[in-house]
Amino acid sequence: MSAHPLRLLFASAEALPFSKTGGLADVASALPQSLAARGVDVRLLTLAYRDTLEKLQDRRQIARLSVRGQDMSLWEGTVRGAGATALRVWLLDYAPLYARPGRPYTNEQGHEHADNAWRFGCFSEAIAMLALGAVPDTAAWMPQVVHLNDWHTGLAAMHLRRAGKQDSPAVVFTIHNLAYQGVFSRGEFDALGLPPDEWNMQALEFYGGFSFMKAGLLYSDAIATVSPTYAREIQTPAFGERLEGVLRMRAAMLHGITNGIDTKVWDPATDPYLVTRYTADTAVDGRRANKLALQRAVGLRESAEAPLFAFIGRLAEQKGADLLPGLDAQLERNGAQLFVLASGDPVLESTLAKWSARAAGRIAVHLGYDEGLSHRVESAADFLLMPSRFEPCGLNQMYSQRYGTIPVVRRTGGLADTVVDNGTGTDHQAIATGIFFNDADAGGIAYGVDRALSLMRDSARFRQVQQAGMATDFAWGLAAGEYLDLYAQAQRER
């Protein structure tokens, strides 16, 4: 460890174990912990949503700060993952904005909070205040690097750049999903007191509104996204979400760093959620026991031989969830089963619930998020379906491989970077860990399922692909090292 470790403020609107809507929460927990284990002096800054403070160990209030006339509290505590290193956490607490019923970005009916521009604009301003030493109670610790994550934090990059302080920290901005950009109106721009000269197309203005994401892209010293393939894709009109021009302009600062996973939390040999724990050597018997237990628990017909597919994630067009019901006849014809653990689009939720009711015993659906159940699914399913129309990185395909579930994925983004297709050729087959299909449509996913069923009929080959996946190293070590290099580059740029 260096005598003077790097001081890093890592800001994210969600982070486990405090909040989660998607993979950002996993990354915002595991990456800072991996960096802390390497000697970085990290503060994870996130928001105190409803029931969040109770999850913070050894908490104490360390500061109060006024943001846009609102008196907010800052709490400090620790969280310890499966590893030995405790992570220091700062929670920004202002109940009227953040501790509401519902989820971090939506109300109980699933609609976005009408004042999300204000909620996350204030969060961004608070990030900048803490980073610049403008809060007296925390000014003794000032970061050298601020790592911002996704649109919710994008305006902080603008505030830090416009502060014009010679000793202001370098800023790294990570795009976890370019499709969510935080685009709001001129009225909301004015309400946040943003500088009028930022309202132009070379700055924050974006097709008649303004964009938090664009602020992060324009004003950061380095930009990362969560896989090399996605970094290339988002510079094209097909994936750039109307920001491809900005990304091409900043291409020299754009880096694709594939996410890792927390291999201590996701370890079938020690996982407390599993009915039967197992290693690569005992996977056949262990996974059989978990499969039968899952089938029994969720109402599927108990059969170790029936091919069991799973889908875990958001019910959204991006994830290709709308393609699942089209598999009904193919699955029935082959005696295959499907378990869906997901939530999202209300129409899709209703469609899937009706499908499972009609096809009881072979289709089962659990609507909602359940961390323990997601672990049990990864230990039990034969195949994980990920028919994403685009996928910045994806984590479930890495969890699956570690647990011996074979991912069946569309060849895009991080899926293309983390799965090796079971193609032809001896050398390629020796390292294959999953199955690709190319088209995000009914024919594409049906082709992927057909390839999976063919693989399962070849038990020796199925076992070989399963073992290759379980042997793949998805730990955060490599990505953490790449981020340390990026922090150093950002400091040089600054």
Side-chain angles (χ1 to χ4, degrees):
M1 183 184 297
S2 168
H4 300 286
L6 174 71
R7 297 185 304 278
L8 171 68
L9 181 63
F10 191 101
S12 173
E14 58 183 87
L16 286 174
F18 308 107
S19 56
K20 175 169 177 170
T21 68
L24 171 60
D26 299 78
V27 174
S29 171
L31 177 54
Q33 289 191 65
S34 182
L35 292 165
R38 287 170 167 251
V40 178
D41 184 6
V42 188
R43 304 288 188 277
L44 167 61
L45 173 63
T46 190
L47 292 163
Y49 300 109
R50 204 175 192 186
D51 302 324
T52 296
L53 284 173
E54 289 70 23
K55 299 173 185 175
L56 186 63
Q57 301 167 19
D58 308 316
R59 70 180 184 273
R60 62 190 181 94
Q61 186 175 316
I62 61 169
R64 300 192 75 87
L65 57 160
S66 179
V67 182
R68 296 281 140 194
Q70 299 159 123
D71 187 22
M72 300 187 177
S73 300
L74 188 69
W75 296 80
E76 181 177 271
T78 58
V79 63
R80 190 181 297 275
T85 304
L87 177 66
R88 191 171 295 189
V89 178
W90 284 355
L91 287 181
L92 185 66
D93 178 23
Y94 186 63
L97 285 188
Y98 307 117
R100 299 174 175 178
R103 307 191 75 195
Y105 320 125
T106 57
N107 61 23
E108 291 176 297
Q109 290 72 45
H111 303 299
E112 290 191 1
H113 293 294
D115 60 348
N116 271 349
W118 181 258
R119 297 171 75 228
F120 295 106
C122 290
F123 181 39
S124 290
E125 192 162 337
I127 294 167
M129 291 171 65
L130 291 164
L132 293 168
V135 180
D137 292 329
T138 63
W141 185 90
M142 286 182 59
Q144 296 160 289
V145 177
V146 176
H147 187 159
L148 306 173
N149 291 272
D150 260 357
W151 73 261
H152 327 92
T153 62
L155 284 184
M158 182 215 67
H159 289 304
L160 289 166
R161 175 64 61 85
R162 290 187 68 100
K165 293 183 66 173
Q166 202 165 26
D167 60 347
S168 63
V171 179
V172 172
F173 182 76
T174 294
I175 308 162
H176 294 267
N177 191 334
L178 192 64
Y180 299 93
Q181 299 180 1
V183 178
F184 300 101
S185 70
R186 178 62 193 255
E188 288 160 313
F189 178 95
D190 293 336
L192 283 168
L194 298 177
D197 63 348
E198 290 291 335
W199 190 270
N200 71 81
M201 62 185 298
Q202 279 72 44
L204 302 191
E205 186 184 1
F206 187 69
Y207 292 91
F210 79 104
S211 167
F212 280 54
M213 177 71 78
K214 189 179 180 187
L217 300 181
L218 287 175
Y219 292 119
S220 296
D221 300 298
I223 304 166
T225 193
V226 290
S227 70
T229 295
Y230 192 60
R232 294 189 295 272
E233 288 176 341
I234 59 177
Q235 296 180 62
T236 69
F239 294 91
E241 303 288 347
R242 301 193 298 179
L243 282 168
E244 62 273 9
V246 176
L247 288 159
R248 286 197 300 269
M249 180 182 73
R250 302 224 67 204
M253 303 298 172
L254 176 61
H255 305 264
I257 300 177
T258 303
N259 284 337
I261 62 173
D262 190 328
T263 54
K264 295 184 176 66
V265 171
W266 291 91
D267 183 353
T270 60
D271 193 330
Y273 292 117
L274 305 192
V275 172
T276 301
R277 301 182 186 97
Y278 57 92
T279 65
D281 292 335
T282 60
V284 172
D285 291 337
R287 287 180 51 78
R288 178 187 176 92
N290 287 313
K291 181 177 182 177
L292 293 171
L294 179 72
Q295 289 169 324
R296 188 161 53 248
V298 302
L300 293 171
R301 180 176 61 87
E302 288 183 53
S303 168
E305 289 70 38
L308 175 56
F309 291 83
F311 176 94
I312 303 173
R314 285 185 294 111
L315 295 179
E317 184 180 6
Q318 176 208 331
K319 299 294 185 178
D322 55 298
L323 301 175
L324 297 175
L327 295 172
D328 186 54
Q330 184 181 19
L331 295 175
E332 183 175 25
R333 187 168 60 249
N334 288 280
Q337 301 173 343
L338 173 67
F339 178 63
V340 176
L341 172 59
S343 62
D345 184 296
V347 173
L348 269 174
E349 286 189 354
S350 176
T351 298
L352 291 172
K354 291 175 182 175
W355 182 25
S356 66
R358 289 195 310 271
R362 61 184 185 85
I363 308 296
V365 175
H366 180 99
L367 296 175
Y369 171 71
D370 186 319
E371 182 74 10
L373 185 54
S374 69
H375 283 244
R376 292 191 290 276
V377 172
E378 296 288 17
S379 74
D382 298 301
F383 301 100
L384 180 82
L385 290 173
M386 294 187 74
S388 304
R389 290 180 168 86
F390 65 94
E391 191 63 64
C393 181
L395 297 175
N396 283 321
Q397 80 279 9
M398 292 187 267
Y399 300 150
S400 294
Q401 288 171 74
R402 183 154 173 79
Y403 279 57
T405 291
I406 296 173
V408 181
V409 304
R410 180 164 179 252
R411 193 195 304 260
T412 187
L415 303 179
D417 293 330
T418 55
V419 176
V420 180
D421 184 50
N422 180 39
T424 57
T426 303
D427 292 341
H428 198 237
Q429 283 200 324
I431 59 170
T433 62
I435 290 169
F436 283 155
F437 58 92
N438 290 327
D439 300 319
D441 57 23
I445 191 173
Y447 174 69
V449 167
D450 187 59
R451 292 188 66 199
L453 293 167
S454 296
L455 176 61
M456 194 168 178
R457 287 190 284 269
D458 183 347
S459 59
R461 180 66 191 139
F462 178 89
R463 176 75 173 143
Q464 186 179 9
V465 175
Q466 188 180 67
Q467 288 280 295
M470 294 186 75
T472 304
D473 181 8
F474 291 116
W476 268 105
L478 178 60
E482 291 185 68
Y483 270 110
L484 286 173
D485 291 341
L486 190 59
Y487 297 154
Q489 178 183 324
Q491 287 178 285
R492 290 192 297 270
E493 290 294 331
R494 186 69 188 134

